[in-house]
Amino acid sequence: MKSKAIVLGHPAHPMLIPFPIAFLTGAVVFDAVGWLRGASSWWTTGGHLALAGIVTALLAAVPGLIDYVYTVPPNSTGKKRATKHMAVNLSAVALFAVAAWIRGGADAPPSLIVLGVEVLGMGL
Protein backbone atom coordinates (compact mmCIF):
# COMPACT_ATOMS: atom_id res chain seq x y z
CA MET A 1 0.00 0.00 0.00
CA LYS A 2 1.30 3.44 -0.88
CA SER A 3 0.07 6.37 1.16
CA LYS A 4 -2.06 9.00 -0.57
CA ALA A 5 -1.20 11.63 2.08
CA ILE A 6 2.44 12.39 1.33
CA VAL A 7 4.88 15.23 1.97
CA LEU A 8 7.94 15.35 -0.27
CA GLY A 9 7.45 11.70 -1.18
CA HIS A 10 7.03 10.47 2.41
CA PRO A 11 3.83 9.39 4.19
CA ALA A 12 2.59 12.23 6.40
CA HIS A 13 0.80 10.23 9.12
CA PRO A 14 3.91 8.44 10.48
CA MET A 15 5.79 11.76 10.51
CA LEU A 16 3.13 13.47 12.64
CA ILE A 17 2.26 10.85 15.27
CA PRO A 18 5.36 11.29 17.47
CA PHE A 19 4.16 14.76 18.47
CA PRO A 20 0.88 13.79 20.16
CA ILE A 21 2.51 10.73 21.71
CA ALA A 22 5.21 12.88 23.31
CA PHE A 23 2.88 15.73 24.30
CA LEU A 24 0.19 13.52 25.85
CA THR A 25 2.70 11.34 27.70
CA GLY A 26 4.42 14.48 28.97
CA ALA A 27 1.06 15.87 30.08
CA VAL A 28 0.43 12.87 32.31
CA VAL A 29 3.94 12.98 33.78
CA PHE A 30 3.92 16.74 34.42
CA ASP A 31 0.39 16.66 35.87
CA ALA A 32 1.24 13.75 38.18
CA VAL A 33 4.49 15.31 39.42
CA GLY A 34 2.81 18.69 39.82
CA TRP A 35 -0.07 17.15 41.75
CA LEU A 36 2.23 15.11 44.01
CA ARG A 37 4.58 18.03 44.73
CA GLY A 38 1.95 20.77 44.75
CA ALA A 39 3.99 22.55 42.06
CA SER A 40 1.77 24.75 39.91
CA SER A 41 4.42 25.29 37.25
CA TRP A 42 4.49 21.53 36.63
CA TRP A 43 0.73 21.09 36.30
CA THR A 44 0.46 24.22 34.16
CA THR A 45 3.05 22.71 31.82
CA GLY A 46 1.04 19.47 31.89
CA GLY A 47 -2.11 21.36 30.95
CA HIS A 48 -0.40 23.02 28.02
CA LEU A 49 1.11 19.72 26.89
CA ALA A 50 -2.33 18.11 26.97
CA LEU A 51 -3.78 20.84 24.76
CA ALA A 52 -0.84 20.59 22.36
CA GLY A 53 -1.27 16.82 22.29
CA ILE A 54 -4.97 17.03 21.47
CA VAL A 55 -4.38 19.51 18.64
CA THR A 56 -1.45 17.58 17.13
CA ALA A 57 -3.37 14.29 17.42
CA LEU A 58 -6.22 15.75 15.42
CA LEU A 59 -3.76 17.09 12.85
CA ALA A 60 -2.10 13.66 12.58
CA ALA A 61 -5.53 12.07 12.18
CA VAL A 62 -6.20 13.95 8.92
CA PRO A 63 -3.58 12.15 6.79
CA GLY A 64 -4.43 8.96 8.69
CA LEU A 65 -8.06 9.29 7.61
CA ILE A 66 -7.00 10.01 4.03
CA ASP A 67 -4.95 6.80 4.01
CA TYR A 68 -7.79 4.89 5.69
CA VAL A 69 -10.28 5.94 3.02
CA TYR A 70 -8.08 5.92 -0.09
CA THR A 71 -5.24 3.48 0.59
CA VAL A 72 -6.34 0.60 2.82
CA PRO A 73 -8.17 -2.05 0.74
CA PRO A 74 -11.83 -2.46 1.67
CA ASN A 75 -12.93 -5.78 3.19
CA SER A 76 -9.36 -6.67 4.14
CA THR A 77 -7.73 -7.58 7.43
CA GLY A 78 -5.77 -4.35 7.02
CA LYS A 79 -9.03 -2.38 7.04
CA LYS A 80 -10.11 -4.15 10.24
CA ARG A 81 -6.79 -3.34 11.93
CA ALA A 82 -6.89 0.25 10.66
CA THR A 83 -10.45 0.64 11.98
CA LYS A 84 -9.39 -0.64 15.42
CA HIS A 85 -6.31 1.64 15.35
CA MET A 86 -8.48 4.65 14.53
CA ALA A 87 -11.11 3.84 17.17
CA VAL A 88 -8.58 3.30 19.95
CA ASN A 89 -6.58 6.43 19.17
CA LEU A 90 -9.62 8.68 18.79
CA SER A 91 -10.93 7.29 22.09
CA ALA A 92 -7.62 8.16 23.75
CA VAL A 93 -7.72 11.70 22.38
CA ALA A 94 -11.35 12.02 23.49
CA LEU A 95 -10.36 11.00 27.02
CA PHE A 96 -7.66 13.69 27.09
CA ALA A 97 -10.21 16.21 25.79
CA VAL A 98 -12.65 15.21 28.54
CA ALA A 99 -9.87 15.54 31.13
CA ALA A 100 -9.01 19.02 29.80
CA TRP A 101 -12.68 20.03 29.91
CA ILE A 102 -13.12 18.75 33.50
CA ARG A 103 -9.93 20.54 34.48
CA GLY A 104 -11.25 23.86 33.21
CA GLY A 105 -7.96 25.39 32.06
CA ALA A 106 -4.27 24.66 31.68
CA ASP A 107 -3.36 26.54 34.83
CA ALA A 108 -5.94 24.75 37.02
CA PRO A 109 -4.58 21.97 39.20
CA PRO A 110 -5.52 18.48 38.01
CA SER A 111 -7.87 16.54 40.26
CA LEU A 112 -7.56 12.81 40.83
CA ILE A 113 -10.36 12.33 38.30
CA VAL A 114 -8.43 14.31 35.67
CA LEU A 115 -5.28 12.30 36.38
CA GLY A 116 -7.24 9.05 36.18
CA VAL A 117 -8.84 9.95 32.85
CA GLU A 118 -5.44 10.99 31.47
CA VAL A 119 -3.88 7.71 32.59
CA LEU A 120 -6.72 5.81 30.89
CA GLY A 121 -6.12 7.82 27.72
CA MET A 122 -2.41 7.13 27.85
CA GLY A 123 -3.13 3.44 28.38
CA LEU A 124 -5.09 3.32 25.17
Side-chain angles (χ1 to χ4, degrees):
M1 291 183 282
K2 185 159 172 71
S3 176
K4 302 290 185 202
I6 57 172
V7 175
L8 300 173
H10 300 283
H13 184 65
M15 286 191 287
L16 296 175
I17 61 168
F19 294 101
I21 292 170
F23 291 148
L24 295 174
T25 301
V28 174
V29 170
F30 273 80
D31 279 348
V33 171
W35 183 79
L36 288 169
R37 296 180 67 205
S40 64
S41 61
W42 280 73
W43 73 57
T44 299
T45 300
H48 288 112
L49 286 170
L51 295 175
I54 293 165
V55 170
T56 58
L58 296 175
L59 290 173
V62 172
L65 181 62
I66 291 168
D67 285 344
Y68 178 80
V69 172
Y70 295 108
T71 303
V72 182
N75 302 319
S76 68
T77 59
K79 191 68 145 190
K80 290 176 187 170
R81 287 190 306 272
T83 302
K84 183 177 178 180
H85 170 80
M86 179 175 57
V88 168
N89 284 297
L90 288 176
S91 296
V93 174
L95 285 171
F96 275 95
V98 166
W101 178 72
I102 292 170
R103 185 181 194 149
D107 58 343
S111 64
L112 276 177
I113 292 171
V114 168
L115 287 169
V117 172
E118 286 180 346
V119 168
L120 284 175
M122 189 172 75
L124 287 175

